[in-house]
Amino acid sequence: MKSIIMAGGSGTRLWPFSRKSFPKQFLSLLGEDSFIEITTKRLMQFTAPEAVYVVAGGEYEFNISDHMSRALKREFNNLILEPMGRNTAPAIALTVKYLLDKAGADRDDIVFFSPSDHIIRPETELKKAIEDAKESARSHIVTFGIVPSKPETGYGYIELGDAAKGEIFKVKRFVEKPDRLTAEKYLQAGNYMWNSGMFLFSIGVILDAFKLYVPELYEMVTAWSYDEALEKYSTLASISIDYAVMEKAKNILCRKVDVVWNDIGSWESLYDLLPKDDNGNAVLGEAELLNTKNSLVITNKTLTALVGMDNTAVIATEDAILVTHRKDTQRIKELVDQMKVKNRPQVTEHVTTYRPWGSYTILEEGLRYKIKRLVVLPERTLSLQRHKHRSEHWVVVKGMAEVLIGEKAVVLHENESIYVPIYEKHRLANPGKIPLEIIEVQNGEYVGEDDIERFEDIYGRV
C-alpha cells in the first residue's frame, strides 16, 4: 500500500501564524513536530517509509523535503509537485499518473490519501480501520467517517446507510457544513459522521470513477505523458474530489472511526486540543493573565498580557496581532480576504522567510537599509549572485562561513566580518556541521528582495 499526503492547503484560518509562504502544515503548535511530520509518523505505522508520498505546490518543495526527511529519518524524494493549485480531484489524478508512470504502480495497487494537518488520537484506531477497509477498497472508494462528539458546524458530514460489513457502511449522501440546529439533529440521529477527507481505494477503482464522472482527468492519466500532464495542468477545472466523484459515485463506502479527531481548521479547534489551566485558559508562549478565563493565547516572542477577558483568542507574532472572540475564529478567512484586497504583506509573508538553504529574519528596515539574521543549515549553499542597488556587510554570530567575493575565497569564524560591495558576484556557504548564523546589514538605494541576479544555484533557481 502507498500513502499520499495532500499538502496543498494554505490554512488561512490560522492566520497570523499560517501564511501563504509558510502555511499550516509546517507549523509546530503541539510540540516539536510540525503537523506534516505528525501526519507522516502516523502513516509510517502502516506504510513503509519508501511508500509515503506528498503532493503539493511547487513553492513548498524545499520545506516539504526538510520536514519529511526529519520525520522519515531519511532523504525524501517522493514529492509530486503541482504546477499550480487545482483542488483535490486534479491533485489525486496527478498523483495516480505519477504512481503509474514513475513509481511502478498498477491498477491493483491500494492507495491511501490523507490531509497533511489533522490530529487523530489514538492513532492505532486509524491503522485498524485501514486494515479493515483494504479488501473493500479493491472494488469501492472507502472514506473514513469520524463519530461526532459534538454538534460541529465547521465540518462536512457523511450520512450512513445500511451496514456493509462490520463498521463499514454504505453512504447515503455527503452533506455540506450545517448550521447549529442541523448539526444537533445530526448528532442525535447517530448515523451522521464527520467527513475526515481521508480516502482508500485501488488505482483501478479511482480510474473507473474518473472515466465515468470526470473524463478530462481520466484522459490526463491514461492518454497524456507525465510531462504533458504538468504542461496542461492549468487547463484542468479546479474541483474537489467530493464534488467531482464522491457525491456522484455509487460504489462509496464509509468506515466508521471512533477517535478524537481535529482538522486544526481554526484557532478554536486548536484550543480544544491544548491543556487548560484552572480557569479554562490555553496558553502557548510567554503570557500573563489576570481575571481572565476560557481564553486562548498564543505568542511566539512577544509577552502578551490579558486582563478581565473571557472567551477571547489573542494570537501574536512579531509583525501581527489577532484579537477575536473565540466563537468568531472561523471568520478569520474573511479577515484575510479583506487584507488581501489591501495588499497587506502580512497576509503572505512572515518576518522569517524560509529558503532551500535555511531562513532569514528581517530584524529592522528603513530608508536605504535593512538588517537580517541569516541561518544557513549545515552543508548548504546560497546561490552565486549579485545585487545592483545594495552592498552587504556580514558578521558571523555562530558557526563557520565559507565566502566567495569575486575571485577571493575566505573562511570566517565567530565574531569575524566581511564587506560585499555593490554589483560584486558573491556566494555564502556553511561547510560545517552546525547551523551558521549571520547578521546581514544591507545599504543602498533599493533593498527589495527582488534585487538579486543569480548565476549558479544548486536548487535550480537560476
Side-chain angles (χ1 to χ4, degrees):
M1 188 183 80
K2 302 181 189 302
S3 289
I4 293 85
I5 300 172
M6 297 179 286
S10 58
T12 53
R13 289 183 178 86
L14 288 190
W15 185 88
F17 272 77
S18 177
R19 306 185 192 183
K20 190 178 188 306
S21 63
F22 199 74
K24 177 176 67 169
Q25 52 266 35
F26 304 124
L27 297 179
S28 301
L29 295 174
L30 293 173
E32 292 185 359
D33 288 342
S34 65
F35 289 125
I36 195 170
E37 290 176 71
I38 292 171
T39 299
T40 302
K41 291 179 179 180
R42 180 190 311 130
L43 298 186
M44 287 172 62
Q45 296 180 32
F46 48 83
T47 311
E50 63 272 16
V52 177
Y53 296 76
V54 176
V55 56
E59 67 266 38
Y60 304 127
E61 175 181 1
F62 299 105
N63 278 326
I64 289 172
S65 294
D66 283 343
H67 286 249
M68 294 297 294
S69 296
R70 285 201 300 268
L72 294 167
K73 292 183 170 56
R74 57 181 284 169
E75 185 177 356
F76 180 72
N77 297 309
N78 293 346
L79 182 53
I80 302 149
L81 296 176
E82 295 179 276
M84 68 284 298
R86 276 294 180 267
N87 217 315
T88 51
I92 289 173
L94 183 67
T95 301
V96 169
K97 181 64 178 174
Y98 180 93
L99 294 176
L100 290 171
D101 285 18
K102 306 290 186 180
D106 59 38
R107 286 179 59 94
D108 294 331
D109 277 323
I110 301 295
V111 289
F112 174 66
F113 280 83
S114 169
S116 62
D117 45 19
H118 292 185
I119 300 299
I120 299 173
R121 298 170 180 167
E123 295 180 338
T124 52
E125 287 300 309
L126 177 64
K127 178 182 179 181
K128 187 189 302 182
I130 289 172
E131 292 298 327
D132 189 33
K134 273 185 180 179
E135 190 59 37
S136 297
R138 299 193 181 280
S139 55
H140 292 74
I141 298 172
V142 182
T143 186
F144 295 85
I146 309 300
V147 178
S149 58
K150 60 181 180 180
E152 176 61 57
T153 59
Y155 301 151
Y157 285 72
I158 303 169
E159 184 182 4
L160 303 184
D162 296 334
K165 173 189 172 185
E167 293 296 297
I168 300 175
F169 292 78
K170 296 178 181 178
V171 172
K172 277 190 176 181
R173 60 174 179 146
F174 290 83
V175 184
E176 291 294 321
K177 298 174 183 178
D179 58 29
R180 179 75 182 188
L181 182 61
T182 304
E184 289 175 351
K185 291 180 180 177
Y186 290 168
L187 186 63
Q188 293 170 2
N191 66 324
Y192 286 83
M193 303 293 113
W194 288 337
N195 185 353
S196 70
M198 297 184 290
F199 309 101
L200 186 73
F201 44 72
S202 72
I203 287 178
V205 165
I206 197 64
L207 281 180
D208 291 343
F210 285 153
K211 186 176 183 179
L212 278 175
Y213 307 113
V214 205
E216 66 171 353
L217 295 184
Y218 180 77
E219 180 184 4
M220 184 193 84
V221 177
T222 59
W224 300 354
S225 70
Y226 188 72
D227 288 341
E228 285 178 317
L230 296 177
E231 290 171 9
K232 299 178 182 179
Y233 200 70
S234 62
T235 67
L236 301 174
S238 179
I239 186 171
S240 73
I241 193 67
D242 283 353
Y243 285 129
V245 173
M246 300 299 167
E247 295 182 2
K248 301 172 183 176
K250 307 302 181 186
N251 61 333
I252 307 290
L253 295 175
C254 178
R255 173 47 159 94
K256 284 176 63 174
V257 189
D258 193 0
V259 291
V260 174
W261 175 81
N262 195 312
D263 72 346
I264 320 293
S266 68
W267 289 116
E268 181 68 6
S269 298
L270 187 64
Y271 173 85
D272 290 341
L273 289 174
L274 293 174
K276 318 292 191 301
D277 65 17
D278 292 342
N279 293 310
N281 299 307
V283 176
L284 288 178
E286 194 172 0
E288 290 291 339
L289 308 182
L290 178 63
N291 191 29
T292 293
K293 57 184 180 179
N294 305 316
S295 293
L296 172 67
V297 183
I298 299 181
T299 175
N300 51 3
K301 291 185 178 179
T302 305
L303 172 62
T304 304
L306 277 69
V307 179
M309 305 302 292
D310 187 12
N311 283 294
T312 302
V314 179
I315 316 297
T317 65
E318 296 100 318
D319 62 339
I321 299 173
L322 170 73
V323 181
T324 178
H325 194 287
R326 275 180 42 211
K327 69 178 178 62
D328 289 327
T329 57
Q330 287 281 359
R331 299 190 63 193
I332 291 174
K333 186 179 185 300
E334 298 174 42
L335 178 65
V336 170
D337 290 342
Q338 177 179 307
M339 290 189 290
K340 284 180 181 177
V341 174
K342 299 178 180 179
N343 293 317
R344 291 195 179 275
Q346 293 90 344
V347 171
T348 56
E349 298 293 334
H350 276 282
V351 170
T352 297
T353 299
Y354 293 87
R355 291 287 186 258
W357 46 264
S359 65
Y360 67 81
T361 301
I362 299 173
L363 303 177
E364 187 177 339
E365 62 181 314
L367 185 63
R368 297 182 63 88
Y369 78 93
K370 183 184 291 185
I371 303 173
K372 292 180 176 179
R373 180 176 64 251
L374 277 60
V375 178
V376 185
L377 297 173
E379 301 178 347
R380 300 285 178 94
T381 303
L382 280 69
S383 60
L384 178 65
Q385 58 185 253
R386 70 182 176 191
H387 312 293
K388 296 179 180 178
H389 302 285
R390 71 175 187 255
S391 62
E392 297 175 340
H393 193 95
W394 294 338
V395 181
V396 178
V397 177
K398 186 174 78 172
M400 178 173 60
E402 196 172 74
V403 179
L404 177 67
I405 300 178
E407 300 297 324
K408 181 182 178 182
V410 296
V411 174
L412 301 179
H413 299 277
E414 291 182 11
N415 205 32
E416 294 181 337
S417 64
I418 197 166
Y419 174 71
V420 183
I422 191 171
Y423 215 64
E424 186 76 73
K425 287 185 182 179
H426 59 279
R427 176 161 50 203
L428 173 66
N430 177 6
K433 301 297 184 183
I434 65 171
L436 165 66
E437 293 187 21
I438 281 182
I439 297 299
E440 176 181 277
V441 180
Q442 303 176 359
N443 291 97
E445 61 186 1
Y446 179 70
V447 292
E449 296 303 326
D450 56 347
D451 178 20
I452 181 170
E453 184 180 3
R454 291 189 176 95
F455 298 91
E456 297 174 8
D457 184 64
I458 63 174
Y459 311 108
R461 297 175 298 168
V462 175

